[in-house]
């Protein structure tokens, strides 16, 4: 059996891509297809790929850190830079990042495909270092906005890069667990930013330190990526077969290399090197997976998670809880849900977590609706409001938060994976921007009961959408998922 496999694999290495596919089609119907699974008698060790995944998720830590870095210091920043009381300027300091992130996300797929996953991380870290340094040293509002915009471009590149990288370097048996690291790292980044911002009111100029601190993990990410494995999937698409084998050996162990390479060869039809046209992502064979991915991110952002974060401080304040304690409660709920998701991702599966997460979020929103009801007494209303908010964040972190970033690179075919992720992340940022822009106005116009009822309805729509459209990817190779989802030509 091993001799047959050796002949098939050596033939695959020598032949052109299109001829390899024909050979593999024959081999799959012969003894090779019957015996190939014998090579993979055990799952690859998770510890070989672990350090590479941890380094990659530093970009998610930076993402969370820069989301939260201006929350506490904003008042001090406005005083020092001379725009105190100017709500428009304060809003720009917060939201300029979103504009940069949208630009970064639009180009992230082309960057990841053009220069590789490792260099995409380095190109993500570079504007974060320059932008944070600019913000830390500036003496004007314009300098702050330029720095925030540069940081935002890095934030836009990072999520696509890390989702692609973690999906492509992780063994199938722990891909869900490793995918959860992305959400956990984001939560830790947010919490560290809030923690570092605590002394800002006591120490003059401390907000500059908050920005300087972020350059340390960003610099480490840029340097450490030089020593990490490149994605074997990307190397294979570039025709760099020997390098792809070497990286699989680093990530999976020598005994799993041939099996992994043969799995890649099964879906190689000689067109991976062709340029992916933008139009291909919106009709034909690829429309369904791009539609699923974009809709999942849209439902995630329309579920009300950002509204909850925006409104949490005032809810806790009315309950007599200080803002820093409120932020800690929200952070703990978010982190706790993410850790539970990590433990369950490869046991219950992605689809199950998504279903129960969105359902739990809908129930939590209905609790918020009950809290806003005039028939509920003051103390009961506060308990329901705080409890519903924490329950919403917890259930979001169980599935709706971490799963889309993991699931989408799994369901996208290798040929379009990076560019399709860029499209879906752009949808994420556009809706994120408009939710932030319109939430407070809608709250004033519609009132909390109607608005939270709308969010609950979106969560239930998400349950129906996931039930009908999302397939389970737990424990499956990327090649098996592609065959299941993509109609063959």
């Amino acid at each position: 059996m091993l001799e047959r496999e050796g002949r098939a694999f050596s033939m695959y290495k020598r032949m052109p891509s299109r001829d390899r596919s024909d050979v593999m089609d024959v081999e799959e119907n012969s003894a090779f297809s019957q015996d190939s699974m014998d090579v993979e008698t055990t799952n690859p060790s998770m510890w070989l790929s672990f350090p590479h995944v941890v380094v990659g998720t530093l970009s998610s830590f930076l993402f969370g850190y820069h989301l939260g870095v201006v929350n506490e210091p904003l008042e001090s920043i406005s005083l020092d830079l001379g725009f105190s009381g100017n709500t428009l300027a304060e809003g720009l300091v917060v939201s300029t990042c979103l504009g940069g992130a949208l630009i970064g996300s639009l180009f992230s797929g082309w960057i990841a495909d053009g220069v590789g996953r490792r260099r995409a991380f380095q190109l993500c870290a570079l504007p974060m270092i320059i932008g944070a340094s600019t913000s830390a040293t500036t003496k004007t509002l314009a300098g702050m906005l330029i720095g925030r915009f540069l940081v935002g471009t890095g934030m836009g590149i990072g999520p696509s890069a890390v989702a692609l990288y973690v999906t492509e370097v992780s063994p199938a048996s722990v891909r869900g667990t490793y995918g959860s690291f992305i959400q956990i790292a984001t939560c830790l980044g947010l919490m560290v930013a809030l923690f570092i911002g605590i002394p800002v009111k006591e120490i003059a100029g401390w907000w500059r330190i908050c920005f300087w601190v972020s350059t340390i993990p960003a610099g480490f990410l840029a340097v450490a990526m030089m020593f990490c494995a490149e994605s074997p999937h990307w190397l294979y698409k570039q025709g760099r077969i020997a390098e792809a084998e070497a990286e699989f050996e680093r990530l999976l162990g020598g005994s799993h290399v041939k099996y992994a390479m043969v799995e890649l060869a099964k879906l190689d039809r000689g067109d991976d090197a062709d340029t992916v046209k933008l139009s291909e992502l919106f009709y034909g064979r690829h429309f369904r997976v791009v539609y699923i991915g974009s809709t999942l991110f849209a439902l995630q952002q329309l579920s009300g998670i950002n509204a909850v974060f925006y409104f949490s401080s005032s809810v806790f304040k009315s309950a007599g809880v200080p803002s820093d304690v409120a932020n800690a409660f929200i952070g703990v709920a978010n982190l706790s849900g993410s850790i539970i998701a990590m433990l369950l991702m490869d046991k219950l599966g992605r689809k199950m977590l998504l279903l129960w997460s969105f359902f739990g979020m809908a129930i939590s929103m209905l609790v918020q609706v009950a809290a806003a009801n005039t028939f509920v007494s003051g103390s009961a209303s506060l308990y329901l409001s705080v409890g519903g908010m924490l329950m919403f964040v917890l259930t979001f972190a169980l599935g709706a938060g971490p799963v889309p970033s993991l699931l989408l690179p799994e369901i996208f075919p290798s040929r379009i994976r990076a560019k399709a992720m860029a499209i879906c992340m752009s949808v994420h940022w556009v809706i994120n921007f408009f939710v932030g822009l319109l939430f407070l106005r809608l709250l004033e116009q519609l009132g909390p009961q109607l608005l939270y009822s709308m969010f609950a309805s979106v969560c239930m729509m998400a349950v129906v959408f996931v039930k009908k459209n999302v397939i389970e990817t737990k424990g499956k190779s990327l090649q098996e998922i592609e065959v299941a989802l993509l109609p063959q030509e």
Side-chain angles (χ1 to χ4, degrees), residues 169-234:
V169 304
S170 303
S173 57
V174 292
R175 197 167 57 235
T177 300
Y178 282 169
S180 301
F181 285 10
I182 296 173
Q183 179 74 5
I184 291 173
T186 303
C187 295
L188 289 174
L190 274 164
M191 294 177 74
V192 168
L194 295 172
F195 176 77
I196 288 180
I198 290 174
V200 73
K201 293 178 181 177
E202 283 76 34
I203 304 175
W206 182 261
W207 61 268
R208 297 184 186 275
I209 302 296
C210 296
F211 285 110
W212 278 123
V213 165
S214 69
T215 62
I216 299 171
F220 183 81
L221 172 64
V223 173
M225 262 298 148
M226 296 170 64
F227 304 97
C228 289
E230 180 55 272
S231 162
H233 293 255
W234 181 79

Side-chain angles (χ1 to χ4, degrees), residues 299 358 362 454-467:
L299 290 169
F358 277 119
M454 290 168 62
F455 286 142
S457 300
V458 171
C459 292
M460 289 309 299
M461 287 169 57
V463 171
V464 175
F465 178 82
V466 170
K467 183 74 175 175

Side-chain angles (χ1 to χ4, degrees), residues 338-351:
S338 301
I339 292 173
I340 295 170
M342 177 188 70
L343 299 174
L344 298 179
M345 192 76 75
D346 285 313
K347 293 182 173 65
L348 296 181
R350 288 63 152 154
K351 186 172 183 177

